Amino acid sequence: MKDFWLSCGHHLLDRDDNGALLVTDEFIKAYLARPELGPPDDSCMAERTLHAALLANPRREVTSSEIAAIADPDARENWTFMIEFRDRLLAHATIEAAYLDIVRRGAGNTPPLFINHLVQAILRNLLDGCEDAFVLRAAELFFRTQRLTMHGGSLIAADEEKVAGAAGDAVSPLVAMLGLPLTGDIEVLNEDNAPSYWQRSDRFDMALDLSAGRRALRALGEVIERWIAHLLSLAVEVEPVIEAIDVNLAWYVGLDAEATAIGDALWIRQELDQAARERIVGLYRLMLRDDGRVLDNAKGEPIYLITAMTPERTLSMKPQNLITGLPIAHLEAVS
């Protein structure tokens, strides 16, 4: 079986009988290996002691006084965030349940980087065995910001950090631990180079053609279907809308901040200017299969999903909106 996204640490996690991810000591230790938490040479004894104790027992209780004893204020803040995040993971049976709790109750002090890491791990789990490189590359939009540009009449999305030359700064330390490559030129994913995706998946150096009617938008719709099915145990059908004709936004979900603002404007029948229209990347029609959880006012009605780029031409998807924005009740599908 082809492997991918090794840097997310999926091989450090166990699975329960339902296929959900179980937190392991090894997974927690991967966070302790992050440069923000590894004690530098000039760190105080309190920080070194805490780090060593957690490496020996990643689940041990950490008191506020232990963190307060750390001399460096930045280190104290990092440890506060880390322990709150760890405790939130350990309070739930699975990674999926912890993620749902973060989405529904609020992230609090959880760093966005950590949330994106959970999203990647969950996607790696639910896409296990996927043989379609376009689906896997489309899934990257769930946890990595994209920069979009028009090239040859096509709308091309490339990884923002890769474009900025910062890919090596924000990836997991597992990249270094596993000896994964960090270099490589960006090229647009196509049928010819698709077989190379698995070898270079942790480099995030393959761009995606998001033009209307192209394969990538359909692939993103498939990822959305799988995401909802895995986290909410809800069967849906998602299809791209090529032309926005007779679209009634009775219910819509913006999949990023820009798209939400556009949806809100359309909801109040505000006319979009040309610039706003050009920022729309994708429009999807989602149909819910009524399993008793669909709210009465949404039964049989299409739900529209919108993705859009910012005026600076970046796209940062918020997959949590698919959890909180759908018109369904009794959401506790994963616990």
Side-chain angles (χ1 to χ4, degrees):
M1 183 175 62
K2 298 176 181 178
D3 207 348
F4 58 98
W5 301 347
L6 299 180
S7 60
C8 75
H10 72 94
H11 57 291
L12 303 176
L13 292 159
D14 293 330
R15 291 168 179 78
D16 66 11
D17 293 338
N18 296 317
L21 297 169
L22 300 171
V23 179
T24 63
D25 288 358
E26 291 74 19
F27 188 72
I28 299 173
K29 287 181 181 180
Y31 284 94
L32 298 175
R34 292 194 63 84
E36 300 93 334
L37 295 174
D41 293 338
D42 59 351
S43 61
C44 67
M45 183 57 66
E47 185 177 2
R48 290 175 177 273
T49 299
L50 177 58
H51 190 263
L54 285 169
L55 285 177
N57 179 12
R59 299 171 187 260
R60 74 180 285 273
E61 181 182 358
V62 176
T63 65
S64 58
S65 59
E66 288 180 282
I67 296 178
I70 297 174
D72 183 78
D74 292 334
R76 284 199 304 272
E77 182 178 57
N78 289 338
W79 278 105
T80 298
F81 293 163
M82 172 57 198
I83 297 305
E84 288 182 4
F85 176 67
R86 183 209 63 170
D87 290 348
R88 204 160 188 178
L89 289 182
L90 295 178
H92 299 276
T94 65
I95 293 286
E96 286 87 344
Y99 173 74
L100 289 176
D101 178 72
I102 290 171
V103 167
R104 292 168 180 165
R105 297 174 185 261
N109 290 327
T110 305
L113 181 67
F114 286 8
I115 298 175
N116 286 337
H117 181 215
L118 293 186
V119 170
Q120 185 182 11
I122 292 169
L123 283 167
R124 176 59 187 81
N125 184 33
L126 67 91
L127 293 171
D128 195 46
C130 178
E131 296 286 333
D132 189 334
F134 287 85
V135 170
L136 301 181
R137 176 58 182 88
E140 292 178 20
L141 273 67
F142 275 49
F143 58 91
R144 292 185 70 88
T145 298
Q146 307 293 305
R147 180 167 292 278
L148 287 84
T149 186
M150 292 299 299
H151 180 73
S154 297
L155 183 62
I156 305 299
D159 188 271
E160 167 71 3
E161 288 181 356
K162 191 69 180 180
V163 171
D169 296 333
V171 296
S172 164
L174 285 169
V175 169
M177 293 164 59
L178 296 170
L180 299 173
L182 290 175
T183 60
D185 296 330
I186 296 175
E187 59 179 319
V188 180
L189 179 67
N190 56 47
E191 294 291 347
D192 293 333
N193 61 26
S196 70
Y197 178 86
W198 283 265
Q199 289 74 41
R200 59 200 290 185
S201 66
D202 285 284
R203 285 155 41 181
F204 302 108
D205 63 353
M206 301 193 86
L208 195 63
D209 185 350
L210 291 176
S211 304
R214 302 285 171 83
R215 183 173 177 179
L217 284 181
R218 295 195 305 272
L220 182 58
E222 181 176 335
V223 178
I224 292 170
E225 289 178 351
R226 294 193 184 203
W227 178 256
I228 294 171
H230 185 73
L231 286 170
L232 298 178
S233 298
L234 187 67
V236 300
E237 295 177 359
V238 177
E239 62 174 345
V241 177
I242 305 302
E243 293 185 80
I245 299 175
D246 296 328
V247 170
N248 177 22
L249 292 185
W251 202 291
Y252 65 94
V253 178
L255 299 184
D256 51 79
E258 186 71 24
T260 299
I262 289 174
D264 290 346
L266 292 173
W267 173 259
I268 61 174
R269 302 186 183 281
Q270 178 179 324
E271 185 70 24
L272 296 181
D273 59 27
Q274 186 62 27
R277 291 181 179 277
E278 291 177 352
R279 290 199 294 273
I280 297 176
V281 175
L283 179 64
Y284 292 89
R285 183 184 293 110
L286 181 150
M287 294 301 297
L288 291 164
R289 296 181 185 175
D290 188 359
D291 64 354
R293 291 184 291 167
V294 180
L295 300 182
D296 289 340
N297 61 342
K299 291 183 185 295
E301 294 293 330
I303 298 160
Y304 288 93
L305 312 177
I306 309 169
T307 60
M309 57 182 162
T310 67
E312 295 74 33
R313 305 188 74 82
T314 61
L315 172 60
S316 297
M317 276 189 62
K318 297 181 179 296
Q320 64 268 30
N321 291 1
L322 291 167
I323 305 301
T324 60
L326 295 179
I328 55 175
H330 310 297
L331 298 176
E332 303 301 329
V334 180
S335 60

PDB file of all heavy atoms in Angstrom, residues 76-94:
ATOM      1  N   ARG A  76       7.322  29.607  29.016  1.00  0.00           N
ATOM      2  CA  ARG A  76       6.143  29.366  29.871  1.00  0.00           C
ATOM      3  C   ARG A  76       4.870  29.361  29.036  1.00  0.00           C
ATOM      4  O   ARG A  76       3.978  28.521  29.226  1.00  0.00           O
ATOM      5  CB  ARG A  76       6.057  30.437  30.967  1.00  0.00           C
ATOM      6  CG  ARG A  76       7.031  30.274  32.102  1.00  0.00           C
ATOM      7  CD  ARG A  76       6.582  31.053  33.332  1.00  0.00           C
ATOM      8  NE  ARG A  76       6.375  32.465  33.063  1.00  0.00           N
ATOM      9  CZ  ARG A  76       7.319  33.400  33.147  1.00  0.00           C
ATOM     10  NH1 ARG A  76       8.550  33.059  33.486  1.00  0.00           N
ATOM     11  NH2 ARG A  76       7.038  34.675  32.917  1.00  0.00           N
ATOM     12  N   GLU A  77       4.760  30.320  28.110  1.00  0.00           N
ATOM     13  CA  GLU A  77       3.572  30.393  27.270  1.00  0.00           C
ATOM     14  C   GLU A  77       3.462  29.152  26.388  1.00  0.00           C
ATOM     15  O   GLU A  77       2.374  28.564  26.262  1.00  0.00           O
ATOM     16  CB  GLU A  77       3.621  31.651  26.406  1.00  0.00           C
ATOM     17  CG  GLU A  77       2.387  31.843  25.532  1.00  0.00           C
ATOM     18  CD  GLU A  77       2.443  33.124  24.735  1.00  0.00           C
ATOM     19  OE1 GLU A  77       3.425  33.310  23.977  1.00  0.00           O
ATOM     20  OE2 GLU A  77       1.515  33.936  24.851  1.00  0.00           O
ATOM     21  N   ASN A  78       4.566  28.740  25.779  1.00  0.00           N
ATOM     22  CA  ASN A  78       4.543  27.553  24.926  1.00  0.00           C
ATOM     23  C   ASN A  78       4.121  26.317  25.706  1.00  0.00           C
ATOM     24  O   ASN A  78       3.323  25.499  25.225  1.00  0.00           O
ATOM     25  CB  ASN A  78       5.923  27.321  24.306  1.00  0.00           C
ATOM     26  CG  ASN A  78       6.274  28.354  23.248  1.00  0.00           C
ATOM     27  OD1 ASN A  78       5.383  28.992  22.687  1.00  0.00           O
ATOM     28  ND2 ASN A  78       7.555  28.527  22.982  1.00  0.00           N
ATOM     29  N   TRP A  79       4.644  26.178  26.916  1.00  0.00           N
ATOM     30  CA  TRP A  79       4.295  25.000  27.722  1.00  0.00           C
ATOM     31  C   TRP A  79       2.838  25.047  28.178  1.00  0.00           C
ATOM     32  O   TRP A  79       2.162  24.013  28.266  1.00  0.00           O
ATOM     33  CB  TRP A  79       5.228  24.877  28.927  1.00  0.00           C
ATOM     34  CG  TRP A  79       6.526  24.217  28.563  1.00  0.00           C
ATOM     35  CD1 TRP A  79       7.745  24.793  28.409  1.00  0.00           C
ATOM     36  CD2 TRP A  79       6.707  22.826  28.291  1.00  0.00           C
ATOM     37  NE1 TRP A  79       8.679  23.861  28.051  1.00  0.00           N
ATOM     38  CE2 TRP A  79       8.066  22.637  27.972  1.00  0.00           C
ATOM     39  CE3 TRP A  79       5.855  21.731  28.278  1.00  0.00           C
ATOM     40  CZ2 TRP A  79       8.604  21.396  27.651  1.00  0.00           C
ATOM     41  CZ3 TRP A  79       6.373  20.486  27.959  1.00  0.00           C
ATOM     42  CH2 TRP A  79       7.730  20.324  27.649  1.00  0.00           C
ATOM     43  N   THR A  80       2.343  26.225  28.456  1.00  0.00           N
ATOM     44  CA  THR A  80       0.926  26.358  28.829  1.00  0.00           C
ATOM     45  C   THR A  80       0.036  25.881  27.693  1.00  0.00           C
ATOM     46  O   THR A  80      -0.893  25.090  27.897  1.00  0.00           O
ATOM     47  CB  THR A  80       0.599  27.817  29.177  1.00  0.00           C
ATOM     48  OG1 THR A  80       1.372  28.222  30.315  1.00  0.00           O
ATOM     49  CG2 THR A  80      -0.887  27.970  29.499  1.00  0.00           C
ATOM     50  N   PHE A  81       0.327  26.349  26.473  1.00  0.00           N
ATOM     51  CA  PHE A  81      -0.455  25.926  25.309  1.00  0.00           C
ATOM     52  C   PHE A  81      -0.340  24.424  25.090  1.00  0.00           C
ATOM     53  O   PHE A  81      -1.332  23.743  24.811  1.00  0.00           O
ATOM     54  CB  PHE A  81       0.015  26.668  24.055  1.00  0.00           C
ATOM     55  CG  PHE A  81      -0.266  28.142  24.061  1.00  0.00           C
ATOM     56  CD1 PHE A  81       0.393  28.996  23.180  1.00  0.00           C
ATOM     57  CD2 PHE A  81      -1.195  28.696  24.939  1.00  0.00           C
ATOM     58  CE1 PHE A  81       0.140  30.357  23.175  1.00  0.00           C
ATOM     59  CE2 PHE A  81      -1.461  30.062  24.936  1.00  0.00           C
ATOM     60  CZ  PHE A  81      -0.794  30.888  24.056  1.00  0.00           C
ATOM     61  N   MET A  82       0.878  23.909  25.210  1.00  0.00           N
ATOM     62  CA  MET A  82       1.100  22.496  24.938  1.00  0.00           C
ATOM     63  C   MET A  82       0.358  21.605  25.923  1.00  0.00           C
ATOM     64  O   MET A  82      -0.292  20.626  25.541  1.00  0.00           O
ATOM     65  CB  MET A  82       2.608  22.189  24.990  1.00  0.00           C
ATOM     66  CG  MET A  82       2.943  20.704  24.906  1.00  0.00           C
ATOM     67  SD  MET A  82       2.287  19.917  23.403  1.00  0.00           S
ATOM     68  CE  MET A  82       2.380  18.186  23.894  1.00  0.00           C
ATOM     69  N   ILE A  83       0.427  21.916  27.203  1.00  0.00           N
ATOM     70  CA  ILE A  83      -0.212  21.065  28.208  1.00  0.00           C
ATOM     71  C   ILE A  83      -1.731  21.154  28.101  1.00  0.00           C
ATOM     72  O   ILE A  83      -2.432  20.141  28.237  1.00  0.00           O
ATOM     73  CB  ILE A  83       0.271  21.439  29.623  1.00  0.00           C
ATOM     74  CG1 ILE A  83       1.783  21.170  29.731  1.00  0.00           C
ATOM     75  CG2 ILE A  83      -0.478  20.645  30.671  1.00  0.00           C
ATOM     76  CD1 ILE A  83       2.191  19.741  29.370  1.00  0.00           C
ATOM     77  N   GLU A  84      -2.260  22.331  27.821  1.00  0.00           N
ATOM     78  CA  GLU A  84      -3.709  22.445  27.616  1.00  0.00           C
ATOM     79  C   GLU A  84      -4.146  21.606  26.415  1.00  0.00           C
ATOM     80  O   GLU A  84      -5.179  20.923  26.458  1.00  0.00           O
ATOM     81  CB  GLU A  84      -4.094  23.909  27.407  1.00  0.00           C
ATOM     82  CG  GLU A  84      -4.014  24.753  28.670  1.00  0.00           C
ATOM     83  CD  GLU A  84      -4.447  26.185  28.427  1.00  0.00           C
ATOM     84  OE1 GLU A  84      -4.878  26.494  27.298  1.00  0.00           O
ATOM     85  OE2 GLU A  84      -4.365  27.007  29.365  1.00  0.00           O
ATOM     86  N   PHE A  85      -3.356  21.643  25.352  1.00  0.00           N
ATOM     87  CA  PHE A  85      -3.657  20.852  24.163  1.00  0.00           C
ATOM     88  C   PHE A  85      -3.559  19.362  24.468  1.00  0.00           C
ATOM     89  O   PHE A  85      -4.459  18.581  24.105  1.00  0.00           O
ATOM     90  CB  PHE A  85      -2.693  21.243  23.052  1.00  0.00           C
ATOM     91  CG  PHE A  85      -2.838  20.419  21.797  1.00  0.00           C
ATOM     92  CD1 PHE A  85      -3.981  20.504  21.022  1.00  0.00           C
ATOM     93  CD2 PHE A  85      -1.821  19.569  21.397  1.00  0.00           C
ATOM     94  CE1 PHE A  85      -4.115  19.747  19.855  1.00  0.00           C
ATOM     95  CE2 PHE A  85      -1.941  18.812  20.238  1.00  0.00           C
ATOM     96  CZ  PHE A  85      -3.087  18.902  19.470  1.00  0.00           C
ATOM     97  N   ARG A  86      -2.492  18.959  25.127  1.00  0.00           N
ATOM     98  CA  ARG A  86      -2.333  17.542  25.473  1.00  0.00           C
ATOM     99  C   ARG A  86      -3.481  17.055  26.343  1.00  0.00           C
ATOM    100  O   ARG A  86      -4.049  15.975  26.108  1.00  0.00           O
ATOM    101  CB  ARG A  86      -1.005  17.323  26.196  1.00  0.00           C
ATOM    102  CG  ARG A  86      -0.725  15.873  26.540  1.00  0.00           C
ATOM    103  CD  ARG A  86       0.131  15.708  27.768  1.00  0.00           C
ATOM    104  NE  ARG A  86      -0.512  16.240  28.976  1.00  0.00           N
ATOM    105  CZ  ARG A  86      -0.033  16.044  30.208  1.00  0.00           C
ATOM    106  NH1 ARG A  86       1.089  15.373  30.400  1.00  0.00           N
ATOM    107  NH2 ARG A  86      -0.668  16.545  31.260  1.00  0.00           N
ATOM    108  N   ASP A  87      -3.841  17.832  27.340  1.00  0.00           N
ATOM    109  CA  ASP A  87      -4.935  17.427  28.228  1.00  0.00           C
ATOM    110  C   ASP A  87      -6.253  17.321  27.468  1.00  0.00           C
ATOM    111  O   ASP A  87      -7.090  16.467  27.772  1.00  0.00           O
ATOM    112  CB  ASP A  87      -5.068  18.420  29.387  1.00  0.00           C
ATOM    113  CG  ASP A  87      -3.898  18.330  30.359  1.00  0.00           C
ATOM    114  OD1 ASP A  87      -3.110  17.362  30.271  1.00  0.00           O
ATOM    115  OD2 ASP A  87      -3.762  19.242  31.190  1.00  0.00           O
ATOM    116  N   ARG A  88      -6.433  18.170  26.483  1.00  0.00           N
ATOM    117  CA  ARG A  88      -7.657  18.113  25.685  1.00  0.00           C
ATOM    118  C   ARG A  88      -7.688  16.845  24.844  1.00  0.00           C
ATOM    119  O   ARG A  88      -8.742  16.216  24.684  1.00  0.00           O
ATOM    120  CB  ARG A  88      -7.739  19.347  24.786  1.00  0.00           C
ATOM    121  CG  ARG A  88      -9.146  19.720  24.354  1.00  0.00           C
ATOM    122  CD  ARG A  88      -9.228  21.149  23.902  1.00  0.00           C
ATOM    123  NE  ARG A  88     -10.607  21.544  23.677  1.00  0.00           N
ATOM    124  CZ  ARG A  88     -10.995  22.757  23.310  1.00  0.00           C
ATOM    125  NH1 ARG A  88     -10.092  23.702  23.123  1.00  0.00           N
ATOM    126  NH2 ARG A  88     -12.268  23.035  23.133  1.00  0.00           N
ATOM    127  N   LEU A  89      -6.541  16.456  24.300  1.00  0.00           N
ATOM    128  CA  LEU A  89      -6.465  15.199  23.562  1.00  0.00           C
ATOM    129  C   LEU A  89      -6.777  14.019  24.474  1.00  0.00           C
ATOM    130  O   LEU A  89      -7.560  13.133  24.120  1.00  0.00           O
ATOM    131  CB  LEU A  89      -5.078  15.019  22.950  1.00  0.00           C
ATOM    132  CG  LEU A  89      -4.675  15.915  21.781  1.00  0.00           C
ATOM    133  CD1 LEU A  89      -3.277  15.536  21.301  1.00  0.00           C
ATOM    134  CD2 LEU A  89      -5.667  15.828  20.642  1.00  0.00           C
ATOM    135  N   LEU A  90      -6.167  13.998  25.642  1.00  0.00           N
ATOM    136  CA  LEU A  90      -6.307  12.856  26.540  1.00  0.00           C
ATOM    137  C   LEU A  90      -7.691  12.779  27.179  1.00  0.00           C
ATOM    138  O   LEU A  90      -8.080  11.722  27.691  1.00  0.00           O
ATOM    139  CB  LEU A  90      -5.233  12.921  27.631  1.00  0.00           C
ATOM    140  CG  LEU A  90      -3.784  12.786  27.144  1.00  0.00           C
ATOM    141  CD1 LEU A  90      -2.818  12.909  28.314  1.00  0.00           C
ATOM    142  CD2 LEU A  90      -3.577  11.463  26.420  1.00  0.00           C
ATOM    143  N   ALA A  91      -8.434  13.868  27.129  1.00  0.00           N
ATOM    144  CA  ALA A  91      -9.776  13.863  27.724  1.00  0.00           C
ATOM    145  C   ALA A  91     -10.793  13.154  26.848  1.00  0.00           C
ATOM    146  O   ALA A  91     -11.934  12.933  27.276  1.00  0.00           O
ATOM    147  CB  ALA A  91     -10.236  15.291  27.999  1.00  0.00           C
ATOM    148  N   HIS A  92     -10.396  12.783  25.626  1.00  0.00           N
ATOM    149  CA  HIS A  92     -11.321  12.166  24.688  1.00  0.00           C
ATOM    150  C   HIS A  92     -10.803  10.806  24.243  1.00  0.00           C
ATOM    151  O   HIS A  92      -9.605  10.528  24.280  1.00  0.00           O
ATOM    152  CB  HIS A  92     -11.537  13.083  23.485  1.00  0.00           C
ATOM    153  CG  HIS A  92     -12.132  14.399  23.843  1.00  0.00           C
ATOM    154  ND1 HIS A  92     -13.495  14.586  23.989  1.00  0.00           N
ATOM    155  CD2 HIS A  92     -11.563  15.590  24.133  1.00  0.00           C
ATOM    156  CE1 HIS A  92     -13.730  15.837  24.333  1.00  0.00           C
ATOM    157  NE2 HIS A  92     -12.573  16.474  24.422  1.00  0.00           N
ATOM    158  N   ALA A  93     -11.728   9.991  23.794  1.00  0.00           N
ATOM    159  CA  ALA A  93     -11.377   8.622  23.417  1.00  0.00           C
ATOM    160  C   ALA A  93     -10.547   8.584  22.147  1.00  0.00           C
ATOM    161  O   ALA A  93      -9.720   7.682  21.971  1.00  0.00           O
ATOM    162  CB  ALA A  93     -12.646   7.775  23.250  1.00  0.00           C
ATOM    163  N   THR A  94     -10.758   9.540  21.247  1.00  0.00           N
ATOM    164  CA  THR A  94     -10.083   9.518  19.958  1.00  0.00           C
ATOM    165  C   THR A  94      -9.645  10.918  19.545  1.00  0.00           C
ATOM    166  O   THR A  94     -10.124  11.924  20.086  1.00  0.00           O
ATOM    167  CB  THR A  94     -11.007   8.958  18.847  1.00  0.00           C
ATOM    168  OG1 THR A  94     -12.114   9.855  18.677  1.00  0.00           O
ATOM    169  CG2 THR A  94     -11.519   7.569  19.200  1.00  0.00           C
TER     170      THR A  94
END
